[in-house]
């Protein structure tokens, strides 16, 4: 499992939830902490730095046939796509890209196979779940795997928002000169939709920037879907 920088250093409980779910499903998990994928450098146009980071991470991941999963869509999907553009002649990059899978797919498959059992008396069972998809995820692979996982929670009523971008757009909303604009983008559809939900509704989002933006704009906590799935697992 890719130990991306965002999850590792800002929300490690999400990474632990992913590892625990996979281990409960019967997988042997190796935490791959080989460095940054280069996503942040790439988003700022620092191509040489992104290329160096991508090459180092690819070197640490190549040579195996096991699936590569991760919690942060931008980092995981960078391995599948942008890394190939940064390292077009590197066979190791192609090996890594071909092994990338969404962790939600693997957890959902384990639930459907009976390897993971979900309980009807968890705090999240029977709740309405409002899900906001990550832009990178929506553009590249779609959100079907995440929605399917949330729908496996007993009694959950999953509603996926059609709210466009949250406004954070990676690190864009962190810049002082962009903050007001990022809030304006969030106010277009996302923030009003979240505010309209009663406190009993569970808010979910796959992207770290999306969760932070929701907190800034609405003062509501957004959970990673993997946290919700783990909360519903029968021990």
């Amino acid at each position: 499992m890719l130990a991306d920088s965002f999850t590792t250093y800002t929300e490690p409980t999400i990474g632990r939830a992913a590892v625990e779910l996979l281990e409960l499903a019967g997988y042997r998990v190796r935490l791959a902490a080989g460095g940054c994928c280069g996503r942040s450098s790439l988003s700022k146009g620092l191509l040489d730095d992104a290329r160096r980071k991508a090459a180092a991470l690819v070197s640490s991941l190549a040579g195996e046939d096991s699936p590569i999963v991760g919690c942060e869509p931008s980092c995981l999907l960078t391995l599948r796509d942008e890394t190939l553009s940064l390292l077009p002649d590197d066979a190791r990059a192609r090996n890594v890209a071909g092994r990338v899978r969404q962790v939600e797919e693997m957890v959902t498959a384990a639930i459907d196979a009976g390897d993971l059992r979900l309980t009807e008396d968890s705090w999240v069972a029977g709740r309405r779940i409002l899900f906001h998809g990550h832009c990178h995820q929506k553009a590249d692979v779609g959100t079907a795997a995440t929605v399917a996982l949330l729908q496996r929670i007993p009694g959950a009523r999953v509603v996926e928002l059609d709210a466009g971008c949250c406004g954070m757009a990676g690190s864009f909303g962190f810049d002082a000169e962009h903050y007001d604009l990022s809030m304006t983008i969030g106010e277009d559809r996302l923030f009003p939709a979240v505010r309209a939900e009663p406190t009993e509704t569970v808010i979910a989002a796959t992207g770290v920037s999306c969760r932070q933006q929701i907190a800034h704009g609405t003062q509501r906590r957004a959970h990673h879907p993997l946290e919700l799935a783990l909360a519903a697992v029968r021990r």
Side-chain angles (χ1 to χ4, degrees):
M1 191 183 89
L2 179 65
D4 69 89
S5 301
F6 298 107
T7 303
T8 299
Y9 294 109
T10 66
E11 296 177 292
T13 55
I14 295 172
R16 288 197 289 267
V19 171
E20 190 169 350
L21 282 167
L22 291 169
E23 289 182 339
L24 287 170
Y27 292 101
R28 282 191 303 111
V29 181
R30 179 173 73 86
L31 202 59
C36 177
C37 66
R39 173 78 252 167
S40 298
S41 299
L42 188 60
S43 70
K44 291 297 186 181
L46 304 174
L47 299 185
D48 289 341
D49 187 60
R51 189 174 292 109
R52 284 193 296 270
K53 289 175 177 174
L57 184 57
V58 161
S59 179
S60 73
L61 294 172
E64 300 183 21
D65 58 5
S66 56
I68 299 171
V69 298
C71 303
E72 177 56 34
S74 282
C75 296
L76 181 68
L77 296 174
T78 290
L79 279 178
R80 204 189 76 157
D81 292 316
E82 285 89 343
T83 295
L84 293 178
S85 298
L86 291 168
L87 306 169
D89 301 317
D90 193 328
R92 300 172 307 165
R94 293 192 292 274
N95 166 270
V96 168
R99 290 158 50 205
V100 168
R101 289 183 62 186
Q102 295 181 85
V103 67
E104 296 97 321
E105 294 177 281
M106 299 181 69
V107 174
T108 299
I111 293 169
D112 291 347
D115 297 323
L116 275 177
R117 296 180 61 195
L118 305 188
T119 179
E120 296 183 358
D121 58 3
S122 70
W123 71 265
V124 71
R127 301 281 284 273
R128 175 179 168 91
I129 301 175
L130 192 72
F131 169 61
H132 173 70
H134 187 283
C135 286
H136 196 158
Q137 179 186 10
K138 287 187 285 190
D140 203 334
V141 294
T143 57
T146 307
V147 171
L149 175 60
L150 292 171
Q151 289 174 334
R152 296 306 191 276
I153 296 172
R157 292 161 289 139
V158 182
V159 177
E160 183 174 10
L161 280 174
D162 179 17
C165 180
C166 70
M168 181 66 87
S171 63
F172 177 84
F174 281 118
D175 296 332
E177 63 269 32
H178 298 147
Y179 181 76
D180 289 342
L181 177 57
S182 78
M183 289 288 107
T184 299
I185 294 169
E187 287 290 357
D188 182 45
R189 282 182 286 172
L190 175 59
F191 296 165
V194 172
R195 292 193 196 104
E197 292 291 327
T199 57
E200 294 79 13
T201 297
V202 178
I203 312 299
T206 43
V208 59
S209 56
C210 304
R211 292 190 297 274
Q212 291 172 345
Q213 187 78 334
I214 289 170
H216 273 251
T218 70
Q219 289 71 56
R220 294 283 296 268
R221 179 187 175 189
H223 300 262
H224 194 291
L226 294 173
E227 295 178 291
L228 302 179
L230 182 60
V233 168
R234 185 185 298 279
R235 307 305 177 93

